[in-house]
Amino acid sequence: MQRSRLLAAAVGAVAEWGYEGASVTRITERARVSRRTFYELFDNREECLLAVLQGAVDRIVQEIGAAGLDVSPWRERVRAGLWVILCFFDRSPALARVCIVESQRADRGVLEFRQRVFGRLAEIVDAGAGQDSGSGGGGVSLTAQGVVGAVSQVLYARLSQREPGLLTGLFGELMAIVVLPYAGASVARRERVRAAPPLPVFQTPNGDGLVLCGQGGEPLLELPVRLTYRTARVLEVLGEHPGQSNRQVAELVGIADQGQISKLLARLARAGLLENTATGAHDRGEPNDWSLTTRGKQLTHTIHAHTTTHNRQAA
């Protein structure tokens, strides 16, 4: 949980003060975590930022994979992938600025990671050689690198503005840039005015998404409860097994004191993370029936994303 708070705080600190100004002190103060804990988890600030970028990339890859695009034609795969990336960044503008703008100003390790990601994107774009119009030709790899670089620079310029607006508004123009060298001007013109795909299904109607960092880049810091290991375990258990009573939750989490579990569940309910569908049935002696709210599901998903990334890196 401390690691999650530090990653979220790093996003907010870099977005506010820039990479150079986001010192370890500012990150730890923002996360309300000690410097000692920071250095128990990360060797330095660069390693912390690398973890942020890796988490963002892992989440984007996960969302693209969930779209099931393996059997789609090249242009549709690229189109859907670009849309997922833009939607992801629009849901997390602070993280978008860190990934696209501030990462260019970071140290060598971050720059090398950024280059590897861009190289992988170029490989994906490179698959368009000979597709659609059949006009591949020589120098395809260089062409793909140029396409990825051009899209990146457009996003960089937009995110460098004080009020960048939604990146999804650039979707048609960016797709035209991608397909022009491979499919020709007529296809690029059609992509420029083609209707955008629907919003991803994991994005809620009010704009809150299941993301690494939410509005302001700090979902774990804005909660009205202290996010401890037991808190996370309660959310995880109810995410996997909704409709549990106080006693059942206590057994699954490993809390022997019934008074303690009752207070914890009530606190999470006041925070808007849990709901008790059996409310009002106490007069008849019926047990509580606890489940996650939409906000609780979002936080649980965020915790799981952080934990999965951390475990993968530790392995």
Side-chain angles (χ1 to χ4, degrees):
M1 295 304 99
Q2 303 287 41
R3 185 177 186 277
S4 298
R5 294 175 67 86
L6 285 167
L7 292 178
V11 171
V14 174
E16 181 174 352
W17 291 297
Y19 180 76
E20 290 300 326
S23 63
V24 171
T25 297
R26 280 176 165 166
I27 293 172
T28 54
E29 289 178 350
R30 197 180 187 97
R32 298 193 294 275
V33 173
S34 69
R35 287 176 62 89
R36 177 180 177 180
T37 299
F38 179 94
Y39 285 111
E40 288 175 352
L41 295 168
F42 305 105
D43 289 340
N44 47 46
R45 181 185 61 168
E46 181 186 45
E47 186 176 292
C48 180
L49 182 55
L50 270 172
V52 169
L53 298 180
Q54 183 65 66
V57 170
D58 286 350
R59 185 56 199 269
I60 289 171
V61 170
Q62 178 186 358
E63 294 184 5
I64 291 176
L69 304 173
D70 293 343
V71 297
S72 301
W74 169 80
R75 182 149 47 102
E76 296 307 311
R77 293 199 307 273
V78 172
R79 193 170 194 271
L82 177 61
W83 182 247
V84 167
I85 292 171
L86 296 179
C87 288
F88 178 85
F89 283 147
D90 275 348
R91 298 197 310 271
S92 195
L95 182 59
R97 180 173 175 81
V98 171
C99 291
I100 302 298
V101 178
E102 296 300 335
S103 64
Q104 287 197 29
R105 304 164 181 170
D107 297 329
R108 179 177 177 180
V110 173
L111 294 175
E112 289 177 348
F113 175 81
R114 176 189 170 97
Q115 192 62 36
R116 289 195 298 272
V117 172
F118 280 17
R120 177 56 185 147
L121 290 173
E123 291 176 3
I124 295 171
V125 172
D126 208 22
Q131 298 289 327
D132 293 315
S133 66
S135 57
V140 174
S141 179
L142 185 59
T143 299
Q145 292 177 32
V147 166
V148 172
V151 171
S152 171
Q153 285 306 305
V154 171
L155 295 180
Y156 180 95
R158 177 60 66 91
L159 289 168
S160 297
Q161 298 176 11
R162 183 178 296 274
E163 297 183 5
L166 294 177
L167 298 180
T168 45
L170 302 172
F171 180 62
E173 293 291 340
L174 294 179
M175 269 304 298
I177 292 173
V178 173
V179 302
L180 179 61
Y182 302 104
S186 61
V187 173
R189 284 194 295 271
R190 290 198 296 271
E191 286 292 344
R192 187 175 290 114
V193 297
R194 188 176 171 187
L199 291 174
V201 296
F202 44 78
Q203 188 173 16
T204 55
N206 64 359
D208 295 328
L210 306 181
V211 296
L212 179 65
C213 301
Q215 186 64 35
E218 303 179 0
L220 301 181
L221 305 186
E222 296 170 357
L223 292 175
V225 295
R226 182 167 174 260
L227 193 57
T228 64
Y229 172 77
R230 285 187 171 180
T231 302
R233 280 291 295 145
V234 169
L235 296 173
E236 182 182 24
V237 162
L238 288 175
E240 296 175 353
H241 309 285
Q244 303 294 312
S245 66
N246 289 34
R247 179 182 59 79
Q248 290 170 324
V249 173
E251 291 176 352
L252 291 169
V253 175
I255 298 178
D257 189 330
Q258 289 298 311
Q260 187 179 25
I261 191 64
S262 295
K263 291 179 180 178
L264 177 55
L265 290 169
R267 188 162 61 249
L268 293 176
R270 289 194 298 271
L273 303 177
L274 301 182
E275 58 182 350
N276 178 20
T277 58
T279 300
H282 296 289
D283 294 340
R284 299 189 296 274
E286 295 181 12
N288 291 326
D289 190 343
W290 295 104
S291 297
L292 297 178
T293 62
T294 298
R295 189 184 186 192
K297 292 176 182 177
Q298 292 174 347
L299 177 60
T300 303
H301 192 103
T302 300
I303 293 172
H304 178 73
H306 279 298
T307 304
T308 300
T309 301
H310 176 56
N311 290 342
R312 185 184 301 115
Q313 292 172 339

